[in-house]
Amino acid sequence: MKQIKFYCFITLLLFLTKSSFGQEEKDSIAILKSKLERTQKEFNLLQESTSPEEKIHLDFVGTGNLQASIADADEVQGSAGLGVIYERFFGLKKPLFRSYDIEAFINVASTVDTLKATLNDESQVTNQRLFGAYIINPISTKQSIYVNSNVYFNPDGKMLFNKIAKFISGVNLRLISSNALWQFDNNTNKNLGVLAFRYGVFHEFLPDDKIRDRDGKRKYSVFLGFNLTHRGIVGDLSSETNDDLRNSFLGTTDFEFSGIEPNFGFRLNNIIAEFTMPSLGGSRKSDIEGLTDTQFLFSIRFVGGFSLKFDADEAKKDDTSISEEGGL
């Protein structure tokens, strides 16, 4: 902006005194005008790289048999899932926050995943890792919910919060839950649910003006995070009357496990690849294969679908109009 003002001043000065200049001076004026126009174009392009206006995006994603059922106008059969991805870009004028996004997926089915125990001659579970791995990562294509949310801070500004946002780019929250049936033998099985929750902060390595398109929608990312995390068993198997059975499956009567969970990942358009390293423990500090101590998890997920774009200013006007007319 200072460069533009400087060129404007020089151009005006030369214009006022051009009568005293010869052809050489007139050529200088033409060069300065050319530089001014080029600088103005570069400035406009920079401003257009991310829209200063508030934008809202909404995507719908179908999984499992849902897409085929919708295409055939038939009833949903077997397992099916539906996801929604909501993004809100606050524009360049918000002092504290840059954007907010949340992705949520729900899978439904008439049955749940069944995990069967392998017993030795002494009726001890020999495949404990199967049950521990399910607790640490309870993702299921049958009955489950997955919610992930990010809040991006505004790194531009003179406040202390803006300076911190250059290193702590935002906060992340994630919730995963699913139902399952754990079978000890042909006569003993119990239903349960597992709840996985984490919350923490992350650093975005890419510049803030490079991770979104011109409509403020996130497209690229390379991030590193640090989270506090929790895993919990709920449902029938978590009751005190099933302490002995839970101990048979896991080698402990604990049903809650907490710890830390660093993560690293990157995004390329609608694909997100992520590596997490949860380190968990229960109150009795029992060793459970596939769950306690440090475990490695890898995932790739798709975050694109049928997209809808909203104008935030128009939405606000509609809300105001409804309130005035309907008294809401």
Side-chain angles (χ1 to χ4, degrees):
M1 182 62 73
K2 292 182 179 179
Q3 191 177 15
I4 294 176
K5 291 181 179 179
F6 173 75
Y7 286 139
C8 289
F9 172 76
I10 295 298
T11 302
L12 178 63
L13 180 63
L14 292 176
F15 175 77
L16 294 175
T17 58
K18 67 178 181 179
S19 58
S20 60
F21 290 146
Q23 184 62 41
E24 182 176 350
E25 287 78 11
K26 291 181 179 180
D27 292 339
S28 299
I29 294 176
I31 293 174
L32 286 173
K33 286 183 177 180
S34 176
K35 289 184 178 181
L36 176 61
E37 291 174 356
R38 185 169 62 252
T39 303
Q40 183 66 50
K41 289 180 180 179
E42 292 176 354
F43 179 78
N44 291 339
L45 182 61
L46 178 61
Q47 290 297 94
E48 292 175 0
S49 62
T50 302
S51 173
E53 300 177 356
E54 189 172 356
K55 299 290 184 179
I56 297 175
H57 302 275
L58 192 63
D59 291 355
F60 293 95
V61 181
T63 61
N65 296 327
L66 181 64
Q67 291 177 335
S69 300
I70 293 176
D72 298 336
D74 196 3
E75 294 183 0
V76 177
Q77 300 178 354
S79 62
L82 179 64
V84 60
I85 304 170
Y86 173 88
E87 293 186 53
R88 184 161 194 156
F89 176 69
F90 295 116
L92 302 180
K93 299 180 180 180
K94 297 289 184 179
L96 300 180
F97 302 104
R98 182 72 85 207
S99 67
Y100 167 76
D101 62 77
I102 181 170
E103 50 182 301
F105 300 88
I106 297 178
N107 290 303
V108 295
S110 57
T111 60
V112 297
D113 289 321
T114 300
L115 281 67
K116 297 181 180 180
T118 301
L119 307 178
N120 59 16
D121 296 337
E122 299 177 354
S123 296
Q124 295 177 335
V125 176
T126 59
N127 59 336
Q128 185 186 85
R129 170 169 286 275
L130 176 66
F131 302 96
Y134 175 74
I135 295 174
I136 201 171
N137 191 29
I139 293 180
S140 171
T141 59
K142 293 187 176 180
Q143 296 182 6
S144 65
I145 182 172
Y146 174 95
V147 180
N148 186 76
S149 180
N150 296 293
V151 178
Y152 278 81
F153 300 147
N154 184 1
D156 301 324
K158 299 181 180 180
M159 295 187 296
L160 177 61
F161 185 89
N162 303 124
K163 295 179 180 179
I164 295 175
K166 295 181 183 298
F167 303 96
I168 301 178
S169 304
V171 295
N172 170 259
L173 295 94
R174 178 173 295 177
L175 171 69
I176 306 174
S177 183
S178 65
N179 290 328
L181 179 70
W182 285 12
Q183 183 175 338
F184 183 77
D185 55 33
N186 293 332
N187 300 317
T188 307
N189 54 68
K190 289 295 178 182
N191 288 284
L192 77 154
V194 173
L195 180 68
F197 178 72
R198 83 177 195 194
Y199 60 96
V201 298
F202 64 88
H203 173 73
E204 174 61 63
F205 289 96
L206 299 182
D208 184 71
D209 60 344
K210 302 299 182 183
I211 64 176
R212 302 176 183 86
D213 60 17
R214 295 188 177 185
D215 288 325
K217 190 172 185 179
R218 286 205 303 131
K219 290 294 184 180
Y220 309 102
S221 180
V222 179
F223 55 89
L224 176 68
F226 182 84
N227 309 274
L228 299 179
T229 188
H230 174 82
R231 305 292 192 277
I233 300 175
V234 297
D236 297 343
L237 193 62
S238 64
S239 63
E240 293 184 3
T241 57
N242 290 312
D243 281 354
D244 292 338
L245 184 58
R246 190 166 63 252
N247 185 70
S248 299
F249 281 118
L250 301 174
T252 180
T253 57
D254 288 340
F255 55 87
E256 291 186 341
F257 308 90
S258 300
I260 60 174
E261 186 173 351
N263 69 303
F264 170 78
F266 57 88
R267 173 173 180 163
L268 180 60
N269 287 327
N270 293 329
I271 303 296
I272 298 178
E274 186 176 5
F275 162 72
T276 63
M277 193 171 60
S279 181
L280 302 172
S283 59
R284 291 173 175 79
K285 301 186 183 301
S286 302
D287 291 329
I288 305 173
E289 294 182 5
L291 175 60
T292 58
D293 300 322
T294 300
Q295 305 289 333
F296 296 153
L297 301 177
F298 303 87
S299 67
I300 294 180
R301 66 184 190 272
F302 180 72
V303 289
F306 177 71
S307 181
L308 298 175
K309 185 174 69 173
F310 299 90
D311 190 317
D313 293 333
E314 291 296 328
K316 290 178 181 178
K317 291 179 181 179
D318 292 342
D319 290 342
T320 304
S321 177
I322 292 174
S323 299
E324 292 176 350
E325 296 178 2
L328 298 178

